[in-house]
Amino acid sequence: METLLSLTIGLLVAAAVYLMLARNVLKFLFGMILLSNAANLLIFTAGRLTFGEPPLIAAGEKLPPPGVANALPQALVLTAIVIGFGLFAFALVLVFRAYTTLGTLNTDDMRVAEPQEEADR
Amino acid sequence: MSWLVVAPILVPFATAIIAFLLRERPLGRWISVAGSALALLAAGLLMAQVLGQGVIAAQMGNWAAPFGITFVADNLSAVMVVITAIAGLAVAIYATAEITPRMEYLGYHTLFQVLLAGVTGAFLTGDIFNLYVWFEVMLIASFGLLILGGRPEQIDGGIKYVTLNLISTVLFLSAIGLLYGMTGTLNMADLAVTVGQVENQGLLTVVAMMFMVAFGVKAAVFPLFFWLPASYHTPAFSVSAVFAGLLTKVGVYALIRVFTLIFDRDIGYTHTVLLWVAGFTMVTGVLGAAAQMDFRKILSFHIVSQIGYMVLGLALFTPLALTGAVFYLVHHIVVKANLFLIAGVVQRLTGSTGLSRIGGLYTHAPLLALLFLVPAFSLAGFPPLSGFWAKFLLIKAALGVEGWFIAFLALAVGLLTIYSMTKIWAEAFWKPHPDGIEPRIAMLGRAERWRLLTPIAGLAALTVTIGLFPEPFVQFAEATAAQLLDPSSYVTAVLGERP
Amino acid sequence: MNSIILRVATRYLAAILLIFSLYMLLRGHNEPGGGFIGGLIGATGFVLHAIACGTKEARAALRLQPQTIALSGLGLALLAGMVPALMGDAFLTGQWLFLGAAEGEKGLPISTVLFFDIGVYLVVLGAILTLVFAMEEEI
């Protein structure tokens, strides 16, 4: 199972890198989203996969039953997904704003902050 | 005593909330100033505590380490928190005169305080995943601050800043995942113990390199610094001052923390890479600055070059070198934030930051010229200012391990720094204004003058103080370096006594 | 989006989602659920309203600005974390109060953990709505 997930992660990263190499900022952003999902899967896999019970402690017990799943990677992934959601929502609005104010999504043409003639001097 | 450790984080958060609720009134900006002063007080108390009884750790919710989240204050964390609070207070005062009511309504003060909370949290946390969370808090706030106002060049700079920082974030996250997979823990003190038991030490070095790249982007080291000069000259001056002072330094702090506490096993490899990185960072930064003709762009490239010095201290990995790195961190935050604040005043008086379009400040605003000379000389490393001692310690450390070439580079970069500062001096201060404007400080309103110049003068005074009385600061930096090189006190404070 | 079916359905769906979100919030104390998922479900209700009737009406229905909600939630969570200071415990340690506790009666348990969770609920609700409204209005 770990092997399968590792291959999936590799595939996701490859697709992400392909998308991120594009000059289009929106494609780059989609690549980033794939990459962050790959990272989340990586954490999940790093915590070892078990066909375990949910890590819940029954009423009256002090310990969870043996063989429960490791809850920590899931908590980490959840945190990472939430943070990623916020970041990407912001980035998406920013890309849209860039398109309306700068009139382009091509990174080569985004030179307002670093004007060309200044770089040539 | 655990409350002292979290107080410097809670205060800016509380300030952020109150400042947001009062954002439509002038009171909101004074809440921000008062909150920053309170944060400085909290940081000072924490510092006193750390000086008195060594490393203190606080376990959140009474969950014992390594299971819960730990906050730790050792010498390095404490001094970073104090200096953050000082820079925060200076910028908060400056912002009362600079930030427009429109930006205040959009939440400038809230974002600013959240940024300070994020930076402070990153310095204090003792858990590597929690460090990631604080990085994100800081990042979200910095995104907001960077594009606040929405001018086209801000959006343009914002895109570059956001995309490259997102990559670093994902890399950081992946590295955490792999490290957790190998060691089964996220607590940094526990990691320091468990990395020794990992069977595949080679894989550990790979993860170490991933951390180096992730933090390297944040710290803006060669060859990952491109986002910095592309974005730091675009936002409001208060924003770029706090970015310049603090954000990259969080990356450097994280590098120092991780590469002294956790990845100190394969020094021959990792720290050699760091040494190369440091050399290239110093040189490319200063050469980039030499080609620029804008006040803030020159300063931005100098941030990059100065980061090289700090990484150099970490890379040499001797007690003296780390002393120099810590000293440099503190000195640099004060000086760099100050120079950006001065750039703001220059822009107000002369109407621009493009060096060819301004001038006449020496004749008409001699006070400002004096205030500029202090941090500028300090940055270049003139005695008796703080930068001299910082560079002196680092170069002495390099000579101590017979790193003749890197010591030579550090000296040469210092000379080129003088060249850049001379360029700013000659263009902005010495030559007359091309449009015949006479930029006088009197052009500023009375209240405005105080709010803009007090923080600048305060930070300049701090630079001079560190420069004239370096002994206590160097002694403290030495103690910090000793603590970093022997993490046993850190580990004991977090995990308790172990058999 | 101008669809009468969606608009009529939203009126009921939004109400059900909001009640369900509160249920999730309270259930989360000992079972799966909690402030985070509750906040997400609650936000879905308002987002649905915004899609059906426009953000203007959704903002009016919310009454408060979403940012204000998020930051008040943050404040509530911080306060809940600071209560243990009065008892001399570490930050975020859970404190319990049993209302009407008597001999053999457990009473109604009130804890700082609950208030922390309510804070999380408000933060998530406010933050998601801030983002979604901004995107709806921008794009």
Side-chain angles (χ1 to χ4, degrees):
Chain A
M1 195 63 190
E2 269 95 349
T3 323
L4 192 65
L5 267 178
S6 307
L7 288 173
T8 317
I9 295 167
L11 200 69
L12 278 174
V13 172
V17 169
Y18 174 75
L19 279 172
M20 283 161 65
L21 289 175
R23 288 210 173 78
N24 187 316
V25 190
L26 196 62
K27 273 193 188 155
F28 174 90
L29 195 63
F30 290 154
M32 272 316 298
I33 295 173
L34 275 189
L35 193 64
S36 89
N37 283 331
N40 291 339
L41 267 183
L42 177 72
I43 297 181
F44 188 63
T45 319
R48 309 293 187 277
L49 300 171
T50 44
F51 291 98
E53 308 283 312
L56 292 173
I57 304 174
E61 297 282 320
K62 286 245 186 286
L63 287 171
V68 295
N70 184 355
L72 186 63
Q74 304 186 21
L76 301 185
V77 170
L78 181 64
T79 315
I81 289 176
V82 174
I83 292 176
F85 169 76
L87 289 178
F88 289 123
F90 179 89
L92 192 64
V93 173
L94 181 64
V95 167
F96 180 77
R97 192 81 84 74
Y99 182 64
T100 47
T101 47
L102 307 174
T104 177
L105 281 177
N106 188 328
T107 41
D108 282 354
D109 299 336
M110 293 188 175
R111 302 218 54 119
V112 186
E114 298 160 288
Q116 190 77 54
E117 60 277 4
E118 204 169 309
D120 290 342
R121 202 185 314 161
Chain B
M1 274 300 95
S2 71
W3 283 89
L4 270 181
V5 182
V6 284
I9 309 172
L10 294 179
V11 171
F13 266 130
T15 315
I17 296 167
I18 302 172
F20 185 80
L21 297 177
L22 295 171
R23 70 193 194 281
E24 287 171 57
R25 296 183 213 160
L27 186 60
R29 63 184 78 129
W30 295 110
I31 292 287
S32 174
V33 174
S36 302
L38 203 61
L40 181 57
L41 181 71
L45 288 175
L46 177 65
M47 185 75 188
Q49 193 77 22
V50 170
L51 283 178
Q53 48 168 255
V55 187
I56 17 181
Q59 318 289 355
M60 295 302 98
N62 268 343
W63 292 96
F67 304 109
I69 291 174
T70 312
F71 281 81
V72 194
D74 66 345
N75 272 2
L76 180 62
S77 299
V79 74
M80 293 310 285
V81 169
V82 169
I83 209 78
T84 303
I86 291 176
L89 180 60
V91 174
I93 297 173
Y94 188 91
T96 56
E98 193 205 359
I99 301 303
T100 58
R102 172 77 190 146
M103 283 166 85
E104 286 185 333
Y105 178 76
L106 290 171
Y108 168 82
H109 296 301
T110 305
L111 288 169
F112 175 68
Q113 293 292 339
V114 172
L115 182 79
L116 289 183
V119 171
T120 314
F123 289 147
L124 284 174
T125 185
D127 182 288
I128 196 124
F129 191 80
N130 200 239
L131 180 65
Y132 165 77
V133 174
W134 288 117
F135 263 72
E136 299 314 296
V137 170
M138 196 172 87
L139 208 57
I140 292 255
S142 69
F143 286 177
L145 285 173
L146 191 62
I147 62 158
L148 203 67
R151 283 178 295 113
E153 61 264 35
Q154 279 181 295
I155 305 281
D156 187 3
I159 287 269
K160 289 156 192 170
Y161 178 85
V162 168
T163 47
L164 282 166
N165 275 292
L166 282 179
I167 295 180
S168 133
T169 294
V170 175
L171 210 58
F172 185 13
L173 191 61
S174 314
I176 290 175
L178 289 173
L179 191 60
Y180 174 70
M182 278 189 281
T183 59
T185 181
L186 293 165
N187 185 296
M188 291 206 264
D190 200 26
L191 276 171
V193 179
T194 44
V195 281
Q197 297 151 14
V198 173
E199 282 168 23
N200 193 342
Q201 288 286 330
L203 196 56
L204 202 65
T205 308
V206 174
V207 176
M209 293 311 290
M210 285 179 78
F211 274 107
M212 195 191 288
V213 175
F215 294 149
V217 175
K218 306 273 178 197
V221 298
F222 178 86
L224 309 161
F225 63 83
F226 300 102
W227 55 272
L228 192 149
S231 58
Y232 270 25
H233 62 285
T234 56
F237 288 88
S238 316
V239 174
S240 55
V242 75
F243 279 20
L246 298 175
L247 285 196
T248 45
K249 258 53 83 193
V250 181
V252 177
Y253 165 84
L255 277 175
I256 293 182
R257 177 64 78 208
V258 166
F259 280 91
T260 55
L261 188 60
I262 304 174
F263 303 116
D264 57 350
R265 271 152 218 287
D266 195 2
I267 294 173
Y269 184 74
T270 51
H271 288 63
T272 309
V273 175
L274 278 173
L275 191 63
W276 282 97
V277 164
F280 276 114
T281 310
M282 287 193 289
V283 174
T284 43
V286 86
L287 290 182
Q292 296 299 326
M293 276 305 276
D294 180 281
F295 205 133
R296 275 205 279 187
K297 276 189 192 167
I298 294 178
L299 293 180
S300 301
F301 273 104
H302 272 295
I303 301 177
V304 176
S305 131
Q306 311 282 317
I307 295 288
Y309 283 97
M310 296 167 217
V311 178
L312 171 65
L314 173 62
L316 293 173
F317 211 64
T318 62
L320 188 62
L322 277 170
T323 308
V326 172
F327 197 96
Y328 213 110
L329 264 172
V330 172
H331 138 77
H332 182 77
I333 292 177
V334 174
V335 166
K336 206 68 194 198
N338 201 4
L339 281 172
F340 272 87
L341 293 182
I342 291 170
V345 179
V346 168
Q347 201 256 3
R348 269 186 178 234
L349 293 181
T350 60
S352 173
T353 54
L355 289 182
S356 53
R357 274 167 289 167
I358 60 178
L361 284 165
Y362 174 69
T363 350
H364 303 294
L367 176 64
L368 189 67
L370 180 70
L371 286 175
F372 168 76
L373 278 185
V374 172
F377 278 167
S378 183
L379 191 75
F382 276 43
L385 295 160
S386 58
F388 168 73
W389 300 106
K391 282 205 170 78
F392 174 75
L393 288 169
L394 280 173
I395 291 171
K396 196 174 160 207
L399 293 176
V401 295
E402 305 195 336
W404 312 114
F405 184 64
I406 200 82
F408 164 74
L409 268 189
L411 281 170
V413 169
L415 275 178
L416 284 167
T417 311
I418 302 176
Y419 165 71
S420 287
M421 290 303 129
T422 323
K423 185 163 73 183
I424 296 182
W425 175 256
E427 295 284 335
F429 291 87
W430 201 251
K431 78 163 197 264
H433 198 287
D435 303 335
I437 298 174
E438 296 186 354
R440 290 174 199 285
I441 290 184
M443 284 155 63
L444 303 168
R446 198 181 156 72
E448 225 176 10
R449 206 180 314 160
W450 281 105
R451 291 182 209 167
L452 290 174
L453 294 183
T454 313
I456 294 177
L459 291 178
L462 191 59
T463 316
V464 176
T465 313
I466 299 178
L468 289 179
F469 307 100
E471 296 93 349
F473 296 96
V474 173
Q475 273 165 15
F476 177 79
E478 270 171 356
T480 312
Q483 232 175 39
L484 288 171
L485 285 172
D486 176 24
S488 58
S489 59
Y490 185 97
V491 174
T492 318
V494 177
L495 298 177
E497 289 293 342
R498 286 206 167 172
Chain C
M1 198 189 296
N2 198 5
S3 150
I4 188 129
I5 299 175
L6 183 65
R7 244 185 296 167
V8 173
T10 298
R11 215 176 290 162
Y12 300 102
L13 271 178
I16 294 171
L17 279 168
L18 285 179
I19 293 171
F20 186 57
S21 78
L22 288 181
Y23 167 71
M24 267 301 184
L25 166 68
L26 295 175
R27 173 190 146 96
H29 205 71
N30 286 322
E31 279 172 277
F36 180 77
I37 184 91
L40 275 181
I41 296 171
T44 322
F46 283 102
V47 169
L48 204 60
H49 192 65
I51 292 174
C53 315
T55 46
K56 220 175 155 194
E57 269 193 46
R59 275 187 196 275
L62 197 60
R63 282 158 202 258
L64 287 169
Q65 281 203 13
Q67 293 100 309
T68 315
I69 296 181
L71 281 167
S72 340
L74 182 64
L76 186 62
L78 286 182
L79 278 181
M82 290 200 292
V83 170
L86 306 175
M87 330 275 174
D89 263 332
F91 183 58
L92 287 176
T93 312
Q95 306 293 334
W96 294 80
L97 179 71
F98 293 94
L99 274 188
E103 203 63 36
E105 272 299 312
K106 195 175 161 205
L108 180 67
I110 305 279
S111 67
T112 54
V113 184
L114 176 67
F115 286 95
F116 186 82
D117 231 13
I118 296 175
V120 172
Y121 177 94
L122 293 175
V123 170
V124 173
L125 183 78
I128 301 260
L129 289 180
T130 308
L131 280 170
V132 172
F133 286 172
M135 277 207 254
E136 281 270 345
E137 282 157 11
E138 188 102 17
I139 298 178

